[in-house]
Amino acid sequence: GAVVSQHPSRVICKSGTSVKIECRSLDFQATTMFWYRQFPKQSLMLMATSNEGSKATYEQGVEKDKFLINHASLTLSTLTVTSAHPEDSSFYICSARDFNGRGMEKYEQFFGPGTRLTVL
Amino acid sequence: AQSVTQLDSQVPVFEEAPVELRCNYSSSVSVYLFWYVQYPNQGLQLLLKYLSGSTLVKGINGFEAEFNKSQTSFHLRKPSVHISDTAEYFCAVSLPFNKFYFGSGTKLNVKP
């Protein structure tokens, strides 16, 4: 299967600072990437859908000015948490779709390993 | 809209016993179905998927699931679990080229 990486795997920052998380598709081109947030003992909640070369589509209730998403290339999407606060502490997971995938692979989402953000 | 229900938040089971994790979905159109496993502080790993064809789907690590359209279910099964299967399992549904909807997850706790 296709491989998706995230960097960093863990980040600790002070309240009020901004944090950038990278999501890369390593061996395929991802025209669409997705960003999820997972609070402890909860399921994944979709935050936004990121399309290469266009603006991201945010889910209801997600602040687009706080969670900036950039999908500048077919292999890289970034999520920037601006002016982070303790309540933003969470596990952030990205996923990517390979629309050029063979057969039914194009219908799958391939997930990154996640980034643990802790805001002090 | 689509939705996924995982009725069991936790399932305790003894090692080498069989297990079934339940997943029901709601959709007015045909959907694709997935099961993922998540180990602590890690991302999601695909166990198996149903996109079309045979309703009995075999995945990795000895897991299988059966798609039942009339009951709108996609239950995950394993005939004999191991300690290493202790993890959280998520069922997901999607339309083609559309976003995923995840269930609330089921924690499988395999006891020796």
Side-chain angles (χ1 to χ4, degrees), chain B residues 34-69:
Chain B
F34 305 82
W35 273 102
Y36 288 88
V37 60
Q38 185 181 35
Y39 299 99
N41 293 311
Q42 294 187 28
L44 274 67
Q45 180 182 10
L46 180 66
L47 277 178
L48 47 80
K49 60 183 181 283
Y50 173 78
L51 303 178
S52 66
S54 173
T55 57
L56 182 61
V57 180
K58 293 189 182 297
I60 63 171
N61 301 340
F63 284 94
E64 64 180 32
E66 185 157 18
F67 169 58
N68 188 318
K69 188 174 182 179

PDB file of all heavy atoms in Angstrom, chain B residues 34-69:
ATOM      1  N   PHE B  34     -14.758  -0.028   5.635  1.00  0.00           N
ATOM      2  CA  PHE B  34     -13.376  -0.265   6.038  1.00  0.00           C
ATOM      3  C   PHE B  34     -13.302  -0.586   7.535  1.00  0.00           C
ATOM      4  O   PHE B  34     -14.127  -0.115   8.322  1.00  0.00           O
ATOM      5  CB  PHE B  34     -12.512   0.982   5.788  1.00  0.00           C
ATOM      6  CG  PHE B  34     -12.554   1.489   4.372  1.00  0.00           C
ATOM      7  CD1 PHE B  34     -13.590   2.294   3.934  1.00  0.00           C
ATOM      8  CD2 PHE B  34     -11.544   1.166   3.480  1.00  0.00           C
ATOM      9  CE1 PHE B  34     -13.637   2.777   2.631  1.00  0.00           C
ATOM     10  CE2 PHE B  34     -11.573   1.641   2.172  1.00  0.00           C
ATOM     11  CZ  PHE B  34     -12.622   2.438   1.750  1.00  0.00           C
ATOM     12  N   TRP B  35     -12.314  -1.362   7.899  1.00  0.00           N
ATOM     13  CA  TRP B  35     -11.927  -1.540   9.293  1.00  0.00           C
ATOM     14  C   TRP B  35     -10.458  -1.163   9.434  1.00  0.00           C
ATOM     15  O   TRP B  35      -9.609  -1.601   8.656  1.00  0.00           O
ATOM     16  CB  TRP B  35     -12.107  -2.992   9.743  1.00  0.00           C
ATOM     17  CG  TRP B  35     -13.476  -3.330  10.243  1.00  0.00           C
ATOM     18  CD1 TRP B  35     -14.462  -3.990   9.577  1.00  0.00           C
ATOM     19  CD2 TRP B  35     -14.008  -3.046  11.544  1.00  0.00           C
ATOM     20  NE1 TRP B  35     -15.566  -4.112  10.375  1.00  0.00           N
ATOM     21  CE2 TRP B  35     -15.321  -3.549  11.584  1.00  0.00           C
ATOM     22  CE3 TRP B  35     -13.501  -2.412  12.691  1.00  0.00           C
ATOM     23  CZ2 TRP B  35     -16.132  -3.443  12.710  1.00  0.00           C
ATOM     24  CZ3 TRP B  35     -14.310  -2.303  13.808  1.00  0.00           C
ATOM     25  CH2 TRP B  35     -15.612  -2.817  13.812  1.00  0.00           C
ATOM     26  N   TYR B  36     -10.201  -0.339  10.454  1.00  0.00           N
ATOM     27  CA  TYR B  36      -8.836   0.076  10.759  1.00  0.00           C
ATOM     28  C   TYR B  36      -8.502  -0.320  12.194  1.00  0.00           C
ATOM     29  O   TYR B  36      -9.382  -0.366  13.059  1.00  0.00           O
ATOM     30  CB  TYR B  36      -8.677   1.590  10.631  1.00  0.00           C
ATOM     31  CG  TYR B  36      -8.703   2.109   9.211  1.00  0.00           C
ATOM     32  CD1 TYR B  36      -9.909   2.442   8.598  1.00  0.00           C
ATOM     33  CD2 TYR B  36      -7.523   2.267   8.492  1.00  0.00           C
ATOM     34  CE1 TYR B  36      -9.924   2.930   7.301  1.00  0.00           C
ATOM     35  CE2 TYR B  36      -7.538   2.752   7.197  1.00  0.00           C
ATOM     36  CZ  TYR B  36      -8.735   3.081   6.606  1.00  0.00           C
ATOM     37  OH  TYR B  36      -8.752   3.566   5.320  1.00  0.00           O
ATOM     38  N   VAL B  37      -7.208  -0.521  12.451  1.00  0.00           N
ATOM     39  CA  VAL B  37      -6.743  -0.783  13.802  1.00  0.00           C
ATOM     40  C   VAL B  37      -5.778   0.327  14.193  1.00  0.00           C
ATOM     41  O   VAL B  37      -5.012   0.823  13.354  1.00  0.00           O
ATOM     42  CB  VAL B  37      -6.057  -2.167  13.917  1.00  0.00           C
ATOM     43  CG1 VAL B  37      -4.847  -2.287  12.997  1.00  0.00           C
ATOM     44  CG2 VAL B  37      -5.644  -2.452  15.367  1.00  0.00           C
ATOM     45  N   GLN B  38      -5.867   0.741  15.443  1.00  0.00           N
ATOM     46  CA  GLN B  38      -4.971   1.776  15.953  1.00  0.00           C
ATOM     47  C   GLN B  38      -4.327   1.299  17.251  1.00  0.00           C
ATOM     48  O   GLN B  38      -5.031   1.021  18.224  1.00  0.00           O
ATOM     49  CB  GLN B  38      -5.723   3.082  16.191  1.00  0.00           C
ATOM     50  CG  GLN B  38      -4.821   4.226  16.616  1.00  0.00           C
ATOM     51  CD  GLN B  38      -5.574   5.522  16.864  1.00  0.00           C
ATOM     52  OE1 GLN B  38      -6.698   5.513  17.347  1.00  0.00           O
ATOM     53  NE2 GLN B  38      -4.958   6.647  16.519  1.00  0.00           N
ATOM     54  N   TYR B  39      -3.004   1.235  17.256  1.00  0.00           N
ATOM     55  CA  TYR B  39      -2.262   0.937  18.466  1.00  0.00           C
ATOM     56  C   TYR B  39      -1.950   2.256  19.168  1.00  0.00           C
ATOM     57  O   TYR B  39      -1.946   3.314  18.529  1.00  0.00           O
ATOM     58  CB  TYR B  39      -0.992   0.148  18.131  1.00  0.00           C
ATOM     59  CG  TYR B  39      -1.300  -1.176  17.478  1.00  0.00           C
ATOM     60  CD1 TYR B  39      -1.223  -1.337  16.086  1.00  0.00           C
ATOM     61  CD2 TYR B  39      -1.711  -2.272  18.235  1.00  0.00           C
ATOM     62  CE1 TYR B  39      -1.535  -2.542  15.487  1.00  0.00           C
ATOM     63  CE2 TYR B  39      -2.027  -3.482  17.632  1.00  0.00           C
ATOM     64  CZ  TYR B  39      -1.948  -3.600  16.265  1.00  0.00           C
ATOM     65  OH  TYR B  39      -2.274  -4.793  15.664  1.00  0.00           O
ATOM     66  N   PRO B  40      -1.689   2.233  20.469  1.00  0.00           N
ATOM     67  CA  PRO B  40      -1.492   3.479  21.221  1.00  0.00           C
ATOM     68  C   PRO B  40      -0.484   4.415  20.570  1.00  0.00           C
ATOM     69  O   PRO B  40       0.609   3.988  20.190  1.00  0.00           O
ATOM     70  CB  PRO B  40      -1.019   2.977  22.581  1.00  0.00           C
ATOM     71  CG  PRO B  40      -1.650   1.636  22.718  1.00  0.00           C
ATOM     72  CD  PRO B  40      -1.629   1.043  21.331  1.00  0.00           C
ATOM     73  N   ASN B  41      -0.884   5.656  20.457  1.00  0.00           N
ATOM     74  CA  ASN B  41      -0.019   6.723  19.916  1.00  0.00           C
ATOM     75  C   ASN B  41       0.463   6.445  18.496  1.00  0.00           C
ATOM     76  O   ASN B  41       1.540   6.890  18.099  1.00  0.00           O
ATOM     77  CB  ASN B  41       1.175   6.952  20.840  1.00  0.00           C
ATOM     78  CG  ASN B  41       0.747   7.532  22.164  1.00  0.00           C
ATOM     79  OD1 ASN B  41      -0.004   8.495  22.224  1.00  0.00           O
ATOM     80  ND2 ASN B  41       1.191   6.910  23.245  1.00  0.00           N
ATOM     81  N   GLN B  42      -0.331   5.733  17.748  1.00  0.00           N
ATOM     82  CA  GLN B  42       0.008   5.472  16.352  1.00  0.00           C
ATOM     83  C   GLN B  42      -1.151   5.840  15.444  1.00  0.00           C
ATOM     84  O   GLN B  42      -2.274   6.070  15.899  1.00  0.00           O
ATOM     85  CB  GLN B  42       0.371   3.998  16.156  1.00  0.00           C
ATOM     86  CG  GLN B  42       1.646   3.579  16.873  1.00  0.00           C
ATOM     87  CD  GLN B  42       2.063   2.170  16.524  1.00  0.00           C
ATOM     88  OE1 GLN B  42       1.774   1.680  15.429  1.00  0.00           O
ATOM     89  NE2 GLN B  42       2.749   1.515  17.430  1.00  0.00           N
ATOM     90  N   GLY B  43      -0.863   5.899  14.155  1.00  0.00           N
ATOM     91  CA  GLY B  43      -1.908   6.174  13.187  1.00  0.00           C
ATOM     92  C   GLY B  43      -2.757   4.951  12.936  1.00  0.00           C
ATOM     93  O   GLY B  43      -2.698   3.955  13.663  1.00  0.00           O
ATOM     94  N   LEU B  44      -3.558   5.020  11.900  1.00  0.00           N
ATOM     95  CA  LEU B  44      -4.475   3.919  11.584  1.00  0.00           C
ATOM     96  C   LEU B  44      -3.860   2.983  10.557  1.00  0.00           C
ATOM     97  O   LEU B  44      -3.260   3.428   9.574  1.00  0.00           O
ATOM     98  CB  LEU B  44      -5.791   4.474  11.034  1.00  0.00           C
ATOM     99  CG  LEU B  44      -6.834   4.866  12.064  1.00  0.00           C
ATOM    100  CD1 LEU B  44      -6.372   6.058  12.859  1.00  0.00           C
ATOM    101  CD2 LEU B  44      -8.168   5.143  11.394  1.00  0.00           C
ATOM    102  N   GLN B  45      -4.066   1.709  10.785  1.00  0.00           N
ATOM    103  CA  GLN B  45      -3.612   0.700   9.838  1.00  0.00           C
ATOM    104  C   GLN B  45      -4.826  -0.010   9.272  1.00  0.00           C
ATOM    105  O   GLN B  45      -5.698  -0.452  10.025  1.00  0.00           O
ATOM    106  CB  GLN B  45      -2.689  -0.297  10.550  1.00  0.00           C
ATOM    107  CG  GLN B  45      -2.165  -1.397   9.651  1.00  0.00           C
ATOM    108  CD  GLN B  45      -1.289  -2.400  10.399  1.00  0.00           C
ATOM    109  OE1 GLN B  45      -1.203  -2.386  11.625  1.00  0.00           O
ATOM    110  NE2 GLN B  45      -0.640  -3.280   9.649  1.00  0.00           N
ATOM    111  N   LEU B  46      -4.879  -0.128   7.955  1.00  0.00           N
ATOM    112  CA  LEU B  46      -6.023  -0.774   7.319  1.00  0.00           C
ATOM    113  C   LEU B  46      -5.991  -2.279   7.584  1.00  0.00           C
ATOM    114  O   LEU B  46      -5.001  -2.950   7.311  1.00  0.00           O
ATOM    115  CB  LEU B  46      -5.999  -0.515   5.816  1.00  0.00           C
ATOM    116  CG  LEU B  46      -7.134  -1.137   5.013  1.00  0.00           C
ATOM    117  CD1 LEU B  46      -8.472  -0.506   5.380  1.00  0.00           C
ATOM    118  CD2 LEU B  46      -6.876  -0.990   3.512  1.00  0.00           C
ATOM    119  N   LEU B  47      -7.095  -2.798   8.114  1.00  0.00           N
ATOM    120  CA  LEU B  47      -7.243  -4.242   8.320  1.00  0.00           C
ATOM    121  C   LEU B  47      -7.843  -4.903   7.091  1.00  0.00           C
ATOM    122  O   LEU B  47      -7.355  -5.926   6.623  1.00  0.00           O
ATOM    123  CB  LEU B  47      -8.158  -4.516   9.506  1.00  0.00           C
ATOM    124  CG  LEU B  47      -7.576  -4.477  10.902  1.00  0.00           C
ATOM    125  CD1 LEU B  47      -8.682  -4.725  11.923  1.00  0.00           C
ATOM    126  CD2 LEU B  47      -6.475  -5.497  11.072  1.00  0.00           C
ATOM    127  N   LEU B  48      -8.927  -4.326   6.609  1.00  0.00           N
ATOM    128  CA  LEU B  48      -9.609  -4.865   5.443  1.00  0.00           C
ATOM    129  C   LEU B  48     -10.607  -3.837   4.926  1.00  0.00           C
ATOM    130  O   LEU B  48     -10.905  -2.853   5.591  1.00  0.00           O
ATOM    131  CB  LEU B  48     -10.326  -6.188   5.781  1.00  0.00           C
ATOM    132  CG  LEU B  48     -11.164  -6.247   7.041  1.00  0.00           C
ATOM    133  CD1 LEU B  48     -12.522  -5.625   6.860  1.00  0.00           C
ATOM    134  CD2 LEU B  48     -11.334  -7.706   7.499  1.00  0.00           C
ATOM    135  N   LYS B  49     -11.097  -4.127   3.729  1.00  0.00           N
ATOM    136  CA  LYS B  49     -12.043  -3.214   3.112  1.00  0.00           C
ATOM    137  C   LYS B  49     -13.021  -3.980   2.245  1.00  0.00           C
ATOM    138  O   LYS B  49     -12.696  -5.048   1.710  1.00  0.00           O
ATOM    139  CB  LYS B  49     -11.306  -2.174   2.253  1.00  0.00           C
ATOM    140  CG  LYS B  49     -10.476  -2.779   1.115  1.00  0.00           C
ATOM    141  CD  LYS B  49      -9.733  -1.706   0.368  1.00  0.00           C
ATOM    142  CE  LYS B  49      -8.916  -2.292  -0.785  1.00  0.00           C
ATOM    143  NZ  LYS B  49      -7.673  -2.946  -0.323  1.00  0.00           N
ATOM    144  N   TYR B  50     -14.223  -3.428   2.134  1.00  0.00           N
ATOM    145  CA  TYR B  50     -15.200  -3.935   1.179  1.00  0.00           C
ATOM    146  C   TYR B  50     -15.512  -2.806   0.203  1.00  0.00           C
ATOM    147  O   TYR B  50     -16.016  -1.753   0.593  1.00  0.00           O
ATOM    148  CB  TYR B  50     -16.495  -4.394   1.867  1.00  0.00           C
ATOM    149  CG  TYR B  50     -17.547  -4.749   0.853  1.00  0.00           C
ATOM    150  CD1 TYR B  50     -17.502  -5.963   0.170  1.00  0.00           C
ATOM    151  CD2 TYR B  50     -18.564  -3.847   0.525  1.00  0.00           C
ATOM    152  CE1 TYR B  50     -18.448  -6.275  -0.788  1.00  0.00           C
ATOM    153  CE2 TYR B  50     -19.508  -4.159  -0.439  1.00  0.00           C
ATOM    154  CZ  TYR B  50     -19.439  -5.372  -1.092  1.00  0.00           C
ATOM    155  OH  TYR B  50     -20.365  -5.664  -2.059  1.00  0.00           O
ATOM    156  N   LEU B  51     -15.200  -3.064  -1.062  1.00  0.00           N
ATOM    157  CA  LEU B  51     -15.507  -2.096  -2.112  1.00  0.00           C
ATOM    158  C   LEU B  51     -16.549  -2.658  -3.067  1.00  0.00           C
ATOM    159  O   LEU B  51     -17.441  -1.943  -3.528  1.00  0.00           O
ATOM    160  CB  LEU B  51     -14.229  -1.717  -2.873  1.00  0.00           C
ATOM    161  CG  LEU B  51     -13.090  -1.144  -2.020  1.00  0.00           C
ATOM    162  CD1 LEU B  51     -11.861  -0.839  -2.871  1.00  0.00           C
ATOM    163  CD2 LEU B  51     -13.541   0.108  -1.288  1.00  0.00           C
ATOM    164  N   SER B  52     -16.439  -3.933  -3.389  1.00  0.00           N
ATOM    165  CA  SER B  52     -17.410  -4.609  -4.236  1.00  0.00           C
ATOM    166  C   SER B  52     -17.069  -6.094  -4.222  1.00  0.00           C
ATOM    167  O   SER B  52     -16.073  -6.508  -3.636  1.00  0.00           O
ATOM    168  CB  SER B  52     -17.371  -4.060  -5.665  1.00  0.00           C
ATOM    169  OG  SER B  52     -16.129  -4.363  -6.269  1.00  0.00           O
ATOM    170  N   GLY B  53     -17.919  -6.893  -4.873  1.00  0.00           N
ATOM    171  CA  GLY B  53     -17.614  -8.313  -5.015  1.00  0.00           C
ATOM    172  C   GLY B  53     -18.070  -9.141  -3.838  1.00  0.00           C
ATOM    173  O   GLY B  53     -19.111  -8.878  -3.234  1.00  0.00           O
ATOM    174  N   SER B  54     -17.267 -10.123  -3.476  1.00  0.00           N
ATOM    175  CA  SER B  54     -17.619 -11.058  -2.409  1.00  0.00           C
ATOM    176  C   SER B  54     -17.897 -10.326  -1.106  1.00  0.00           C
ATOM    177  O   SER B  54     -17.148  -9.432  -0.712  1.00  0.00           O
ATOM    178  CB  SER B  54     -16.491 -12.067  -2.205  1.00  0.00           C
ATOM    179  OG  SER B  54     -16.749 -12.867  -1.068  1.00  0.00           O
ATOM    180  N   THR B  55     -18.956 -10.741  -0.436  1.00  0.00           N
ATOM    181  CA  THR B  55     -19.326 -10.052   0.806  1.00  0.00           C
ATOM    182  C   THR B  55     -18.464 -10.478   1.986  1.00  0.00           C
ATOM    183  O   THR B  55     -18.473  -9.816   3.011  1.00  0.00           O
ATOM    184  CB  THR B  55     -20.799 -10.320   1.134  1.00  0.00           C
ATOM    185  OG1 THR B  55     -21.002 -11.741   1.218  1.00  0.00           O
ATOM    186  CG2 THR B  55     -21.705  -9.734   0.060  1.00  0.00           C
ATOM    187  N   LEU B  56     -17.750 -11.578   1.857  1.00  0.00           N
ATOM    188  CA  LEU B  56     -16.823 -12.004   2.910  1.00  0.00           C
ATOM    189  C   LEU B  56     -15.428 -11.507   2.542  1.00  0.00           C
ATOM    190  O   LEU B  56     -14.865 -11.912   1.527  1.00  0.00           O
ATOM    191  CB  LEU B  56     -16.837 -13.520   3.061  1.00  0.00           C
ATOM    192  CG  LEU B  56     -15.943 -14.076   4.169  1.00  0.00           C
ATOM    193  CD1 LEU B  56     -16.385 -13.546   5.528  1.00  0.00           C
ATOM    194  CD2 LEU B  56     -15.945 -15.599   4.156  1.00  0.00           C
ATOM    195  N   VAL B  57     -14.907 -10.669   3.384  1.00  0.00           N
ATOM    196  CA  VAL B  57     -13.634 -10.027   3.089  1.00  0.00           C
ATOM    197  C   VAL B  57     -12.593 -10.498   4.090  1.00  0.00           C
ATOM    198  O   VAL B  57     -12.829 -10.468   5.302  1.00  0.00           O
ATOM    199  CB  VAL B  57     -13.759  -8.498   3.177  1.00  0.00           C
ATOM    200  CG1 VAL B  57     -12.428  -7.837   2.864  1.00  0.00           C
ATOM    201  CG2 VAL B  57     -14.844  -7.985   2.246  1.00  0.00           C
ATOM    202  N   LYS B  58     -11.475 -10.911   3.589  1.00  0.00           N
ATOM    203  CA  LYS B  58     -10.384 -11.335   4.475  1.00  0.00           C
ATOM    204  C   LYS B  58      -9.318 -10.252   4.510  1.00  0.00           C
ATOM    205  O   LYS B  58      -8.988  -9.650   3.489  1.00  0.00           O
ATOM    206  CB  LYS B  58      -9.796 -12.654   3.987  1.00  0.00           C
ATOM    207  CG  LYS B  58     -10.778 -13.822   4.128  1.00  0.00           C
ATOM    208  CD  LYS B  58     -10.128 -15.154   3.853  1.00  0.00           C
ATOM    209  CE  LYS B  58     -11.143 -16.293   3.948  1.00  0.00           C
ATOM    210  NZ  LYS B  58     -11.694 -16.405   5.327  1.00  0.00           N
ATOM    211  N   GLY B  59      -8.804 -10.016   5.717  1.00  0.00           N
ATOM    212  CA  GLY B  59      -7.809  -8.972   5.872  1.00  0.00           C
ATOM    213  C   GLY B  59      -6.519  -9.495   6.461  1.00  0.00           C
ATOM    214  O   GLY B  59      -6.245 -10.692   6.438  1.00  0.00           O
ATOM    215  N   ILE B  60      -5.758  -8.566   7.025  1.00  0.00           N
ATOM    216  CA  ILE B  60      -4.479  -8.951   7.608  1.00  0.00           C
ATOM    217  C   ILE B  60      -4.672  -9.477   9.018  1.00  0.00           C
ATOM    218  O   ILE B  60      -5.731  -9.280   9.626  1.00  0.00           O
ATOM    219  CB  ILE B  60      -3.501  -7.762   7.622  1.00  0.00           C
ATOM    220  CG1 ILE B  60      -4.051  -6.624   8.503  1.00  0.00           C
ATOM    221  CG2 ILE B  60      -3.230  -7.265   6.211  1.00  0.00           C
ATOM    222  CD1 ILE B  60      -3.064  -5.509   8.732  1.00  0.00           C
ATOM    223  N   ASN B  61      -3.650 -10.160   9.517  1.00  0.00           N
ATOM    224  CA  ASN B  61      -3.627 -10.646  10.905  1.00  0.00           C
ATOM    225  C   ASN B  61      -4.770 -11.609  11.229  1.00  0.00           C
ATOM    226  O   ASN B  61      -5.164 -11.731  12.387  1.00  0.00           O
ATOM    227  CB  ASN B  61      -3.654  -9.483  11.902  1.00  0.00           C
ATOM    228  CG  ASN B  61      -2.471  -8.545  11.726  1.00  0.00           C
ATOM    229  OD1 ASN B  61      -1.457  -8.898  11.142  1.00  0.00           O
ATOM    230  ND2 ASN B  61      -2.607  -7.330  12.213  1.00  0.00           N
ATOM    231  N   GLY B  62      -5.315 -12.292  10.224  1.00  0.00           N
ATOM    232  CA  GLY B  62      -6.344 -13.294  10.458  1.00  0.00           C
ATOM    233  C   GLY B  62      -7.748 -12.748  10.640  1.00  0.00           C
ATOM    234  O   GLY B  62      -8.668 -13.488  10.976  1.00  0.00           O
ATOM    235  N   PHE B  63      -7.944 -11.459  10.442  1.00  0.00           N
ATOM    236  CA  PHE B  63      -9.265 -10.865  10.576  1.00  0.00           C
ATOM    237  C   PHE B  63     -10.075 -11.035   9.286  1.00  0.00           C
ATOM    238  O   PHE B  63      -9.518 -11.088   8.200  1.00  0.00           O
ATOM    239  CB  PHE B  63      -9.162  -9.375  10.904  1.00  0.00           C
ATOM    240  CG  PHE B  63      -8.791  -9.100  12.328  1.00  0.00           C
ATOM    241  CD1 PHE B  63      -7.466  -8.908  12.689  1.00  0.00           C
ATOM    242  CD2 PHE B  63      -9.771  -9.040  13.311  1.00  0.00           C
ATOM    243  CE1 PHE B  63      -7.114  -8.669  14.005  1.00  0.00           C
ATOM    244  CE2 PHE B  63      -9.438  -8.784  14.633  1.00  0.00           C
ATOM    245  CZ  PHE B  63      -8.103  -8.598  14.978  1.00  0.00           C
ATOM    246  N   GLU B  64     -11.390 -11.085   9.448  1.00  0.00           N
ATOM    247  CA  GLU B  64     -12.296 -11.093   8.312  1.00  0.00           C
ATOM    248  C   GLU B  64     -13.566 -10.346   8.689  1.00  0.00           C
ATOM    249  O   GLU B  64     -13.853 -10.137   9.866  1.00  0.00           O
ATOM    250  CB  GLU B  64     -12.631 -12.517   7.872  1.00  0.00           C
ATOM    251  CG  GLU B  64     -13.382 -13.329   8.902  1.00  0.00           C
ATOM    252  CD  GLU B  64     -13.695 -14.740   8.397  1.00  0.00           C
ATOM    253  OE1 GLU B  64     -12.902 -15.294   7.604  1.00  0.00           O
ATOM    254  OE2 GLU B  64     -14.756 -15.268   8.785  1.00  0.00           O
ATOM    255  N   ALA B  65     -14.291  -9.923   7.685  1.00  0.00           N
ATOM    256  CA  ALA B  65     -15.542  -9.207   7.933  1.00  0.00           C
ATOM    257  C   ALA B  65     -16.533  -9.592   6.853  1.00  0.00           C
ATOM    258  O   ALA B  65     -16.149  -9.936   5.730  1.00  0.00           O
ATOM    259  CB  ALA B  65     -15.318  -7.703   7.938  1.00  0.00           C
ATOM    260  N   GLU B  66     -17.799  -9.519   7.200  1.00  0.00           N
ATOM    261  CA  GLU B  66     -18.839  -9.849   6.247  1.00  0.00           C
ATOM    262  C   GLU B  66     -19.773  -8.673   6.056  1.00  0.00           C
ATOM    263  O   GLU B  66     -20.320  -8.127   7.019  1.00  0.00           O
ATOM    264  CB  GLU B  66     -19.635 -11.073   6.699  1.00  0.00           C
ATOM    265  CG  GLU B  66     -20.658 -11.522   5.655  1.00  0.00           C
ATOM    266  CD  GLU B  66     -21.047 -12.975   5.814  1.00  0.00           C
ATOM    267  OE1 GLU B  66     -20.803 -13.532   6.902  1.00  0.00           O
ATOM    268  OE2 GLU B  66     -21.586 -13.545   4.850  1.00  0.00           O
ATOM    269  N   PHE B  67     -19.930  -8.294   4.816  1.00  0.00           N
ATOM    270  CA  PHE B  67     -20.835  -7.209   4.458  1.00  0.00           C
ATOM    271  C   PHE B  67     -22.234  -7.776   4.329  1.00  0.00           C
ATOM    272  O   PHE B  67     -22.475  -8.712   3.555  1.00  0.00           O
ATOM    273  CB  PHE B  67     -20.390  -6.572   3.143  1.00  0.00           C
ATOM    274  CG  PHE B  67     -21.385  -5.613   2.555  1.00  0.00           C
ATOM    275  CD1 PHE B  67     -21.820  -4.518   3.282  1.00  0.00           C
ATOM    276  CD2 PHE B  67     -21.875  -5.807   1.269  1.00  0.00           C
ATOM    277  CE1 PHE B  67     -22.734  -3.629   2.738  1.00  0.00           C
ATOM    278  CE2 PHE B  67     -22.789  -4.919   0.714  1.00  0.00           C
ATOM    279  CZ  PHE B  67     -23.220  -3.833   1.448  1.00  0.00           C
ATOM    280  N   ASN B  68     -23.175  -7.220   5.084  1.00  0.00           N
ATOM    281  CA  ASN B  68     -24.565  -7.650   5.024  1.00  0.00           C
ATOM    282  C   ASN B  68     -25.408  -6.437   4.667  1.00  0.00           C
ATOM    283  O   ASN B  68     -25.683  -5.586   5.516  1.00  0.00           O
ATOM    284  CB  ASN B  68     -24.999  -8.253   6.358  1.00  0.00           C
ATOM    285  CG  ASN B  68     -26.364  -8.894   6.289  1.00  0.00           C
ATOM    286  OD1 ASN B  68     -27.285  -8.348   5.672  1.00  0.00           O
ATOM    287  ND2 ASN B  68     -26.515 -10.057   6.894  1.00  0.00           N
ATOM    288  N   LYS B  69     -25.803  -6.377   3.424  1.00  0.00           N
ATOM    289  CA  LYS B  69     -26.509  -5.190   2.937  1.00  0.00           C
ATOM    290  C   LYS B  69     -27.883  -5.051   3.585  1.00  0.00           C
ATOM    291  O   LYS B  69     -28.310  -3.949   3.950  1.00  0.00           O
ATOM    292  CB  LYS B  69     -26.651  -5.233   1.421  1.00  0.00           C
ATOM    293  CG  LYS B  69     -27.187  -3.956   0.812  1.00  0.00           C
ATOM    294  CD  LYS B  69     -27.175  -4.019  -0.710  1.00  0.00           C
ATOM    295  CE  LYS B  69     -27.665  -2.715  -1.306  1.00  0.00           C
ATOM    296  NZ  LYS B  69     -27.631  -2.743  -2.793  1.00  0.00           N
TER     297      LYS B  69
END
